[in-house]
Amino acid sequence: MKRFFLIIAFLTSVNAQDITTLEPIGTVVRVEKTEQSVTLHCRDNSQVRLTILAPDLIRVRAAFGKSIPTKDHSWAIAKENWPAPRWNLNETPDSITITTDELEVAVRRSPLLVEFRDARTHQLLNADERPMSYDAHGRLASMMFDPKAGTFVAASKKLGFDEHFYGLGEKAARLDKRRSSFVNWNSDTPGYTDKTDPIYQTIPFYIGLQRGIAYGIFFDNSYRSYFDFGKSSQQRAWFGAEGGEMNYYFFHGPSIKKILGRYADLTGHMQLPPLWALGNQQSRWSYYPDTMVEEVVSEYRKRDLPLDVVYLDIDYMNGYRVFTFDKTRFPDPKGLTDKLARQGVKVVTIVDPGVKHQPNEKGYHAFDDGLEKNFFQRRRNGDLFVPRVWPGDSVFVDFTLPDARRWWGDLHRFYTDNGIAGIWNDMNEPSDFVDQTGKNQLDVVSYDEGEKSTHAKNRNTFALLMARATYEGLERLQPDRRPYVITRAAYAGIQRYSTMWTGDTNSTWEALALNIPMFTSLGLSGEPFVGSDIGGFIGRGNGELLVRSYQVGFLAPFCRNHKQIDGYDQEPWRFGKYYEDIIRKYLKLRYALLPFLYTTLEEAHRTGVPLFRPLLLNYQNDPNTYNLDDQFMIGDDLLLAPILKPDVTRRLVYLPAGVWYDYWTGKQYTGGTMISVDAPLDVAPMFVRGGAIIPVGPMLNYVGEKPSDTIGFVIYPDEAGAASGDLYEDDGVSPAYKSGAFRRTSFSSRRTARGFTVSIGAAQGTYNPGPRKFNFAVKAAGRTGRGVSAVDNGKSREVQLK
Ligand code: GLC
């Protein structure tokens, strides 16, 4: 028995890297200052460089036992050059202190410890628990995935007694990551459940929150990485990687929203997808032949269910060859997309990274051409790397080669010529059926800006570069249209190129409940456009689960029902009229709310603050929200508390301080408390913040079906009778919004002796939406008041409501 426990203890210690055995960086012997950075020279020849990028953004880069290399490249970073902010340096015999308008970074010389404080309050934000360290003696080598590829590097921070941790991208875990640890190694993990780790994506960025004050850390290192938020020891929160540099960015809040804005500046802002991407989407592995696709769309139309997009999964291809159509199943792809376009439906096709490689096959242009150009990945000995994926033996493109990215992007002409509206990148971890862990790929070399590095460094960025090739290709092929790309795997920065979905979930209640912390965490990690297979991907669902799943997904940016090939059919009507009628109600509500959703999506593009939010993002000073992961908000104004369990028709809902309106009944509540609400199957408890003005559009079967000649505004007054809101509009398809072709209108309303006065602000931007009316109505005392209309002339004015 004792031996058994010893073995268990040994196994767990092997899994959890003991960073206390690592070699600490040497003490500081010399300090060198440049215009924007301070380089610390250490006794052991190590170097640490602190670069002041902005008053609230400091980069920390260390090289152990050597100088910091001049080569400095990351696929994640969008903005490399930052204008030097105001800062100064103060040296004492014990320490070096950098001060900006917002941050104070103090470095103790011996031992070398970095500490971040708020420059105004001197409050400690984050401090090293031990010096940055590295595996000088190979002590962790035996537990490394590829010991030959690098040296383990780590940084360790003091763990606050009441510190909460958020972000880290796509993790099958709770919202608050305190007392958990994670690995980043993009992995194909069908049927993952709570705590499966790693899964598909790597976003090595987290936010710490203590006493309402937040900081952020982005550890920009693409090697297999580890984050431990006080799991292995209550002393520390540490992060490390099996190679590469100690290289992290420190963000000062104090607000999380501000950190997300800076993170977006650094790694790129999400570009607006076409507006139809917010429409309802339907998928199946796989709809074929073409007549079945038409049938799906015609069912949608017949049943008065809105639909914008239908997906073609792998069976549309000729033997799973990307950039081909199966001639029998889809004899006339252009004819099909034209026909569906007339019904307002777009087609998105899957494009996996595996290019089929059949010995002696001649004439498959994607393989022949890529081989001739030498764009495919090879092993160190020069052999082609041949993974096995859906097509069988295949090859992968080396997307680190700029010419290969261009070539791959250009190949998408095949799709755009056939009227395909968007591209779905899957299996891009990259998945390899020969060995899913990646061991079979260790000696695969990528060009990597001339570094010719191996899989250990390139696995986690493979999907980012594939999505980039796709996005840039679509941009070149159709410069007047916004690209629409969706990906499964990712690395930080992916928001510049792609939307995402959370892969192969189960059709279970547990998987449904995970949607909320996963979507909110992705939003706190710079990825705003997220969603999950509605109804779940694997297994046999049921009508109740499907309805409850729509009650979460109908407000997620990406709203798509998708199902595995051998799973039970789950289009909205498959379980009968009772369920279908409820689903219709939610899909229609989504379309009515499109003006609100699009306004919130544009905010995510501009500010980095996601639409699908945990409550703590809006109520950062309210500790009741810090680990609330069965409720969420859309923007500032809608609060949802869906049912996530079978046979449940009532639940508790936490409402933060302020006035709240039950969306369905209009009943008013005073927040700062828990309430208990009824939630029969047709009700997803939903509340509107008092103080909001929610824009609503006309009933549509698809985006752009008819002009929005009347936009409604529902006013929900706060305790003082005031409310405000915005409406963002543009053409919804072209990139012209980037050069000012949008229209932003602000609204505010106040209670007066005579009723309500609404002030319409002067429209900003050059986009002209055409003639139309605004229709205002006040929600009060459980009902919506009589509406008053005003012709929109783009000018600032006031409207009186009774
Ligand atoms: C993967 C995807 C899934 C898709 C299937 C076939 O499992 O995650 O969405 O349907 O491959 O392409």
Side-chain angles (χ1 to χ4, degrees), residues 8 38 169 184 217 243 297 336 422 596 618 696:
I8 295 283
V38 174
N184 289 316
I217 288 183
V297 172
L336 175 69
F596 171 73
N618 291 337
V696 285

Side-chain angles (χ1 to χ4, degrees), residues 31 85-86 91 109 129 131 174 243 245 311 371 398 515 581 604 762 801:
V31 178
R86 185 162 64 179
E91 290 187 60
R109 291 177 194 256
E129 180 261 345
R174 305 288 307 240
E245 294 186 5
Y311 281 66
L371 186 71
D398 177 359
N515 277 182
D581 286 349
L801 270 94

Side-chain angles (χ1 to χ4, degrees), residues 42-118:
C42 307
R43 187 161 310 276
D44 61 347
N45 296 324
S46 297
Q47 283 185 358
V48 177
R49 183 166 300 148
L50 300 153
T51 309
I52 301 94
L53 300 175
D56 56 357
L57 181 61
I58 307 285
R59 180 177 180 196
V60 179
R61 193 177 171 205
F64 298 96
K66 59 177 186 205
S67 303
I68 288 177
T70 40
K71 186 180 169 198
D72 181 19
H73 174 259
S74 157
W75 299 112
I77 302 298
K79 178 170 172 175
E80 284 170 356
N81 299 314
W82 296 70
R86 185 162 64 179
W87 66 285
N88 60 52
L89 178 68
N90 184 30
E91 290 187 60
T92 69
D94 297 335
S95 67
I96 301 117
T97 305
I98 291 168
T99 311
T100 72
D101 289 350
E102 295 180 39
L103 266 173
E104 204 175 82
V105 190
V107 184
R108 203 155 105 192
R109 291 177 194 256
S110 177
L112 195 166
L113 294 169
V114 188
E115 206 172 84
F116 298 90
R117 290 178 182 274
D118 184 304

Side-chain angles (χ1 to χ4, degrees), residues 9 37 93 97 118 126 216 272 305 388 407 409 513 555 609 709:
S37 72
T97 305
D118 184 304
N126 179 271
L272 278 179
L305 293 160
R388 205 170 311 132
W407 169 74
L555 288 178
V609 177
D709 49 10

Side-chain angles (χ1 to χ4, degrees), residues 359-372:
N360 309 321
E361 182 184 25
K362 283 269 165 312
Y364 173 33
H365 70 290
F367 179 81
D368 295 348
D369 202 27
L371 186 71
E372 194 199 308

Side-chain angles (χ1 to χ4, degrees), residues 59-352:
R59 180 177 180 196
V60 179
R61 193 177 171 205
F64 298 96
K66 59 177 186 205
S67 303
I68 288 177
T70 40
K71 186 180 169 198
D72 181 19
H73 174 259
S74 157
W75 299 112
I77 302 298
K79 178 170 172 175
E80 284 170 356
N81 299 314
W82 296 70
R86 185 162 64 179
W87 66 285
N88 60 52
L89 178 68
N90 184 30
E91 290 187 60
T92 69
D94 297 335
S95 67
I96 301 117
T97 305
I98 291 168
T99 311
T100 72
D101 289 350
E102 295 180 39
L103 266 173
E104 204 175 82
V105 190
V107 184
R108 203 155 105 192
R109 291 177 194 256
S110 177
L112 195 166
L113 294 169
V114 188
E115 206 172 84
F116 298 90
R117 290 178 182 274
D118 184 304
R120 287 159 296 206
T121 62
H122 305 290
Q123 187 164 8
L124 182 66
L125 302 168
N126 179 271
D128 280 355
E129 180 261 345
R130 59 185 53 241
M132 290 178 269
S133 48
Y134 70 117
D135 196 8
H137 309 293
R139 293 204 174 98
L140 301 184
S142 63
M143 42 189 109
M144 278 173 52
F145 197 75
D146 182 3
K148 284 195 282 220
T151 304
F152 203 95
V153 296
S156 181
K157 307 291 187 174
K158 286 183 184 156
L159 178 71
F161 176 72
D162 193 26
E163 193 169 4
H164 303 264
F165 296 93
Y166 305 106
L168 219 59
E170 187 196 44
K171 292 292 174 194
R174 305 288 307 240
L175 173 63
D176 184 355
K177 310 261 176 315
R178 184 179 172 86
R179 299 287 187 185
S180 326
S181 66
F182 301 92
V183 179
N184 289 316
W185 186 248
N186 292 359
S187 301
D188 181 356
T189 47
Y192 66 87
T193 54
D194 185 14
K195 298 195 181 57
T196 302
D197 186 62
I199 55 171
Y200 307 100
Q201 303 202 347
T202 296
I203 314 288
F205 169 65
Y206 73 90
I207 290 165
L209 177 69
Q210 186 153 235
R211 289 181 297 273
I213 294 169
Y215 66 86
I217 288 183
F218 172 39
F219 176 37
D220 186 13
N221 179 318
S222 66
Y223 284 78
R224 188 183 178 96
S225 61
Y226 298 81
F227 285 77
D228 182 316
F229 301 113
K231 186 176 182 199
S232 59
S233 150
Q234 34 189 351
Q235 303 300 310
R236 67 185 75 96
W238 69 266
F239 49 90
E242 295 191 358
E245 294 186 5
M246 177 41 63
N247 170 34
Y248 71 90
Y249 295 81
F250 186 89
F251 301 76
H252 180 24
S255 88
I256 297 176
K257 289 183 178 172
K258 176 162 165 272
I259 294 170
L260 293 175
R262 270 283 180 243
Y263 177 79
D265 292 343
L266 181 68
T267 64
H269 286 250
M270 171 194 74
Q271 301 302 302
L272 278 179
L275 179 51
W276 55 258
L278 281 179
N280 181 38
Q281 315 199 12
Q282 179 65 53
S283 183
R284 180 74 205 248
W285 176 12
S286 296
Y287 291 132
Y288 70 85
D290 50 2
T291 49
M292 193 201 276
V293 183
E294 287 177 44
E295 231 170 298
V296 172
V297 172
S298 94
E299 281 302 316
Y300 260 92
R301 291 290 176 253
K302 232 174 20 214
R303 293 169 184 275
D304 187 27
L305 293 160
L307 181 72
D308 264 275
V309 192
V310 67
Y311 281 66
L312 300 185
D313 205 329
I314 48 177
D315 299 285
Y316 76 83
M317 295 179 257
N318 166 22
Y320 304 130
R321 287 172 189 80
V322 285
F323 310 104
T324 69
F325 273 100
D326 180 298
K327 291 224 156 52
T328 324
R329 293 171 179 174
F330 293 91
D332 179 14
K334 183 72 173 66
L336 175 69
T337 56
D338 282 345
K339 214 186 234 171
L340 297 181
R342 286 195 289 277
Q343 298 169 71
V345 173
K346 315 277 188 296
V347 180
V348 170
T349 49
I350 199 167
V351 177
D352 289 346

